[in-house]
Amino acid sequence: MATAKSSAILLPTTAYILRLKQPRAREMLDAGVIVALGSDFNPNAYCCSMPMVMHLACVNMRMSMNEALAAATINAAYALGRSHTHGSLEVGKQGDFVIINSLRWEHLIYQFGGHQELIKYVVVSGKMVYGNDKTMGY
């Protein structure tokens, strides 16, 4: 997969909820495979929270927080053939991002649940689509 520049889309919530063996993300990453994360939001894996997906990837699949963030953003865009327009904050790319009420971005992954109290703003295409005045300070 690494040689072919193909991406492995891993679904930590599915493995967790269905009590399946976790994907071998650490082996894939060490072999140079492009790893992307997805929520697999459906009736058997009812989770649409990417922060929780990233948390499970770190805890159960031994990914670092930096690896999980890249897998959920730029690598996920790559898997969809959109890394030239999405997945990272760069001039000329679509401005989709969240602003959190924390001194460190790692709280987005470290905190297990309760993200509604951490996410201050959601910006899509450069426009604020969600604002939250009930965030907690960290």
Side-chain angles (χ1 to χ4, degrees):
M1 288 182 79
T3 305
K5 301 266 190 237
S6 147
S7 58
I9 303 167
L10 306 182
L11 310 169
T13 54
T14 301
Y16 174 77
I17 291 169
L18 297 178
R19 297 180 182 182
L20 302 172
K21 185 177 178 185
Q22 291 289 328
R24 296 185 313 254
R26 181 80 270 136
E27 290 176 30
M28 292 180 202
L29 288 163
D30 291 345
V33 174
I34 298 165
V35 171
L37 292 175
S39 70
D40 193 28
F41 179 64
N42 71 71
N44 77 323
Y46 204 80
C47 176
C48 58
S49 169
M50 285 307 291
M52 290 190 73
V53 168
M54 291 185 289
H55 178 91
L56 290 172
C58 292
V59 172
N60 293 337
M61 299 186 332
R62 309 219 186 291
M63 293 176 72
S64 71
M65 285 195 261
N66 287 334
E67 289 168 336
L69 181 63
T73 56
I74 190 67
N75 292 358
Y78 178 86
L80 295 170
R82 295 189 166 224
S83 59
H84 61 290
T85 58
H86 294 75
S88 60
L89 296 175
E90 297 178 58
V91 174
K93 286 191 171 185
Q94 182 165 318
D96 297 345
F97 56 92
V98 296
I99 297 173
I100 61 173
N101 191 23
S102 175
L103 296 176
R104 299 189 54 111
W105 69 268
E106 291 92 343
H107 278 277
L108 191 60
I109 297 173
Y110 180 73
Q111 181 173 319
F112 190 70
H115 294 97
Q116 68 277 5
E117 296 170 355
L118 182 63
I119 297 174
K120 183 79 174 164
Y121 301 109
V122 176
V123 178
V124 177
S125 297
K127 295 181 173 70
M128 186 180 69
V129 297
Y130 173 80
N132 181 4
D133 60 357
K134 294 182 174 81
T135 58
M136 297 173 60
Y138 291 97

